[in-house]
């Protein structure tokens, strides 16, 4: 059932080597990332520095740049390590006293050096020369000192291509709240446990800013189809747009409102009442504007910026927002003609959405999905009990939850329901190491938790378990999902 | 069926997983006229398996039943015949993500070992990517080739029987990622670098001992790799249990038997459906860690081949 999306896909799997205008790129400084759209004459603020990306255009991804005066980026030449000629060092710190006077340069001196536009490398050298205790420090302590100063004064930025690795690390560090504290190694488990690969027909229900969706899309490479279940007025795909997927990847990406799941399962589904977008969209916006944290604000800016890069998936979102604005203005100014056009345009779009919704409903009704991925802020049990109906037997499913307790309940309820085997509740721990000659050890701090997973495999639901006599009649007239509900009551 | 493409029904020649329950399972090669013995009795392939849907319950001759599952790299990892120590899905998942693998990726791997990671890599890079895997042990290399054929993925993988430390991967400037699981990875770092694309790529080395990591990191640095990062991932599995704890008798019972333990336990258990105060016990659901868990598999060192 491997559906190939056509020859155009090749361009997608081998994206451009070079940084192009309009790309989604990620800035990297040490372990800090920031996703930005590559645009000319656009001021970027990253790690307390501002600059323009204009000069980066045309360079290969992975190039490291230095920020020069005026905010220009200049490709960094490979440095010739300037090792201090005198390899003098102490053996211990018994005679080093913290009198706060070891650095002979004052704050003003340093500021003056910076204002003169002196290279960071040279400032570091001066700091070393003017440190009275440097020579007495142990070799390791000298290393550490230099590293620390380099980090502060030698500002280099690497521009890298976005990937699940980079974006999930970035989100976990900068905006864990937006992705329900889903740590990147947990996301990695989900992709593997879910056997995500090209050709799948996946169901994804997430409220992780579209990061999980993006990760699934990356692993499917444009082959197969994805149905994204969304709460409220529309799917959030801010993180998805950071991946910079080629357009064909969106051809087989479908969305379906959660609020229609019950009716779809009971057979009363209709497209008459679509979820009301304007209200819900406003809600979503309000939610994201609620964050005051500086870091959160900065990523929000990232998200907003990247929305501007013409991603097909976001166009609907954008247009919808535009609709609201347009409607507002139209109402206030009471310009009848424009208003009418807006109404017509809106109707056309409603029609379009309705058509898509019917298509997606048909895809779900086949009940042959190859897997289910859930990572949301909602209680997982009702999601699982309903959405598993759409999954074929012998397919994996994975549910993420920030907390363990809801998954305990989910586990119990799934056991009662049946139709699943190999249920496993798990968590991963991630430990980073400093590896240096004679100084290897686990890093000082590690993440306390990255959430929990409940995974399993679907099997054909056992019908013989149930009292059959009066169910036979039901089977005849009830749609299959209702049948199941009745069975559950009997069991 | 193939390991890279789901099928609905069981066909002759498929590799299927017989699931007996409680994580007890084994793989079978489905063949007309063949029978498989389980503790629940015999499974006759022609009548019990072929043509049935994957995920079906199959009743064995003694009346017991099993489920027949579609193979996946993860199920294969749990059931494959060991020829070496293998990598498990927890490490595999982080390797796959950190190497940035996806459909179309070209990957080099050594050694092939028992093919646990190989199957997962092939699954991820299919249908347009390729795995070049190098195994210096001739018998193991041959066995891996045979398995890839049986699993319908031979077009996605090239097995080479040579010593990666001496002869490299047999390809150059084509890989997006390289994975090393050999005793002396530092001897293969140079070969890894030349296997990777000129514009760069990712590398991962798996080693159980920190001394190996140390040498590998030094070699990576010497060869100009950047973003060198060593980490370790541990899986914690929880059993879901209903626990009941007895309410201690503090002598209150004789005076006021209407509220044993009630005041003390109820507030903290509000809304919990599991709370049961009958007979002086409190019940709750808990995720109980296993008595023993895997404490260490290996250190994973990742790095990037940079442009310089």
């Amino acid at each position: 059932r491997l559906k190939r999306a056509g020859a155009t896909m090749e361009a997608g799997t081998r994206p451009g080597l070079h940084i192009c205008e309009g790309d989604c790129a990620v800035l990297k400084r040490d372990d800090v990332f920031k996703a930005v759209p590559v645009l000319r004459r656009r001021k970027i603020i990253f790690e307390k520095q501002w600059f323009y990306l204009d000069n980066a255009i045309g360079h290969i991804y992975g190039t490291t740049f230095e920020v020069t005066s005026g905010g220009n980026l200049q490709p960094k030449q490979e440095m010739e390590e300037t090792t201090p000629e005198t390899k003098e060092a102490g053996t211990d710190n018994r005679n080093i006293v913290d009198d706060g006077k070891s650095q002979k340069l004052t704050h003003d001196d340093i500021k003056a050096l910076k204002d003169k536009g002196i290279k960071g490398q040279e400032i570091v050298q001066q700091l070393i020369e003017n440190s009275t205790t440097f020579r007495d420090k142990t070799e390791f302590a000298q290393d550490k000192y230099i590293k620390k100063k380099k980090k502060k004064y030698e500002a280099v930025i690497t521009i890298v291509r976005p990937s699940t690795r980079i974006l999930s690390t970035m989100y976990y560090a900068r905006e864990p709240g937006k992705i329900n504290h889903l740590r990147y190694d947990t996301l990695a488990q989900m992709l593997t446990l879910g056997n995500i690969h090209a050709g799948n027909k996946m169901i994804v229900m997430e409220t992780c800013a579209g990061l999980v969706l993006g990760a699934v899309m990356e692993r499917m490479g444009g082959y197969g189809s994805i149905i994204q279940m969304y709460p409220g007025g529309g799917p959030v795909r801010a993180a998805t747009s950071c991946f910079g997927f080629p357009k064909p990847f969106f051809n087989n990406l479908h969305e379906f409102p959660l609020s229609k799941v019950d009716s779809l399962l009971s057979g009363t589904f209709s497209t008459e009442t679509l979820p009301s977008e304007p209200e819900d969209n406003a809600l979503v916006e309000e939610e994201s504007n609620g964050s005051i944290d500086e870091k959160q604000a900065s990523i929000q800016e990232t998200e907003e910026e990247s929305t501007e890069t013409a991603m097909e998936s976001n166009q609907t979102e954008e247009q919808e927002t535009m609709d609201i604005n347009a409607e507002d203005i139209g109402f206030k100014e009471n310009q009848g003609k424009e208003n009418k056009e807006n109404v017509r345009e809106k109707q056309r779009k409603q029609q379009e959405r309705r058509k898509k919704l019917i298509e997606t409903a048909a895809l779900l009704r086949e009940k042959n999905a190859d897997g289910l991925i859930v990572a949301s802020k909602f209680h997982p049990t009702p999601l699982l009990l309903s959405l598993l109906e759409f999954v074929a037997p012998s397919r994996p499913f994975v549910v993420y939850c920030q907390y363990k307790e809801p998954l305990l309940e989910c586990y119990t309820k799934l056991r009662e329901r049946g139709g699943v085997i190999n249920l496993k509740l798990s968590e991963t721990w991630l430990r980073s190491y400093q590896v240096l000659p004679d100084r290897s050890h686990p890093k000082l701090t590690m993440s306390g938790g990255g959430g929990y997973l409940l995974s399993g495999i679907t099997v054909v639901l056992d019908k013989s378990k149930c009292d059959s006599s009066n169910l036979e009649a039901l089977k005849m007239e009830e749609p299959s999902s209702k049948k199941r509900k009745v069975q559950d009551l009997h069991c | 069926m193939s390991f890279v493409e789901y099928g609905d029904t069981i066909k002759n020649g498929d590799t299927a997983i017989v699931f007996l329950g409680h994580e007890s399972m084994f793989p079978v090669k489905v063949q007309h006229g063949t029978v498989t013995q389980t503790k629940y009795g015999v499974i006759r392939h022609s009548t019990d398996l072929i043509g049935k849907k994957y995920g079906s319950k199959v009743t064995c001759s003694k009346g017991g039943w099993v489920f027949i599952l579609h193979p996946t790299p993860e199920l294969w990892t749990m059931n494959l015949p060991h020829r070496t120590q293998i990598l498990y899905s927890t490490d595999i998942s982080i390797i796959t993500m950190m190497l940035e693998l996806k459909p179309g990726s070209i990957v080099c791997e050594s050694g092939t070992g028992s093919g646990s990671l190989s199957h997962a890599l092939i699954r991820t890079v299919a249908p347009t990517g390729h795995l070049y895997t190098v195994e210096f042990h001739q018998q193991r290399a041959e066995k891996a080739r045979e398995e890839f054929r049986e699993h319908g993925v031979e077009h996605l993988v090239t097995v080479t029987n040579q010593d990666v430390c001496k002869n490299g991967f047999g390809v150059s400037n084509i890989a997006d990622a390289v994975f090393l699981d050999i005793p002396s990875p530092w001897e293969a770092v140079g070969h890894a670098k030349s296997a990777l694309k000129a514009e760069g790529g990712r590398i991962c080395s798996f080693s159980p001992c920190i001394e190996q990591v140390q040498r590998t990191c030094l070699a990576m640095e010497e060869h100009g790799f950047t973003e060198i990062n060593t980490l370790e991932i541990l899986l914690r599995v929880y059993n879901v249990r209903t626990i009941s704890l007895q309410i201690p008798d503090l002598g209150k019972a004789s005076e006021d038997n209407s509220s044993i333990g009630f005041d003390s336990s109820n507030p903290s258990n509000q809304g919990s459906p599991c709370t049961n105060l009958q007979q002086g016990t409190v019940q709750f659901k808990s995720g109980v860690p296993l008595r023993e868990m895997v404490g260490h598999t290996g250190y994973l060192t990742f790095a990037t081949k940079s442009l310089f």
Side-chain angles (χ1 to χ4, degrees), chain A residues 196-256:
Chain A
I196 312 295
H197 64 278
N200 271 7
K201 173 178 174 178
M202 288 301 304
I203 299 175
V204 177
M205 163 56 207
E206 65 128 288
T207 59
C208 295
L211 178 71
V212 176
L213 175 71
V216 171
M217 286 172 75
E218 183 184 277
R219 284 290 173 89
M220 288 177 53
Y223 302 87
S225 54
I226 304 171
I227 302 158
Q228 184 184 16
M229 316 298 290
Y230 64 86
V236 178
R237 291 178 185 163
T240 319
S241 67
C242 294
F243 282 82
F245 291 125
K247 274 198 172 181
F249 276 41
F250 295 90
N251 292 347
N252 287 314
L253 173 60
H254 310 270
E255 60 239 12
F256 192 82

Side-chain angles (χ1 to χ4, degrees), chain A residues 99-165:
Chain A
D99 56 2
K101 289 180 208 154
S102 58
Q103 183 51 252
K104 294 295 169 215
L105 291 180
T106 64
H107 279 289
D108 293 337
D109 293 339
I110 298 169
K111 196 173 174 296
L113 286 175
K114 272 164 105 180
D115 290 344
K116 263 194 261 173
I118 284 175
K119 278 200 172 178
Q121 213 171 322
E122 283 160 36
I123 298 180
V124 174
Q125 198 53 44
Q126 295 226 26
L127 284 170
I128 292 169
E129 278 162 20
N130 286 289
S131 164
T132 53
T133 49
F134 187 82
R135 270 160 225 275
D136 301 327
K137 286 178 196 278
T138 64
E139 207 178 309
F140 299 149
Q142 287 180 355
D143 248 22
K144 206 170 165 183
Y145 180 86
I146 295 171
K147 261 196 192 142
K148 234 166 108 183
K149 297 298 170 197
K150 273 191 172 175
K151 199 172 170 180
K152 193 166 174 191
Y153 296 102
E154 286 182 23
V156 292
I157 287 146
T158 308
I159 301 186
V160 295
R161 221 189 337 243
S163 65
T164 302
R165 166 178 78 98

Side-chain angles (χ1 to χ4, degrees), chain A residues 438-450:
Chain A
D438 296 323
R439 283 158 292 163
S440 297
H441 58 73
K443 292 242 172 92
L444 197 62
T445 55
M446 62 185 268
S447 157

Side-chain angles (χ1 to χ4, degrees), chain B residues 204-246:
Chain B
C204 174
S205 172
F206 174 95
S207 296
C209 307
I210 197 75
E211 290 81 2
Q212 292 170 301
V213 175
Q214 193 98 54
R215 299 182 73 166
T216 308
C217 285
L218 277 176
M220 284 178 177
E221 215 166 311
E222 276 165 23
H223 283 95
F225 282 91
T226 58
E227 275 192 284
I228 301 169
N229 183 23
T230 300
L231 51 84
E232 187 181 24
I233 186 167
L234 290 177
L235 180 72
R236 282 177 70 84
V237 177
Y238 297 96
N239 284 323
V240 180
R241 297 260 181 277
T242 303
I243 312 284
S244 42
L245 291 182
Q246 236 183 325

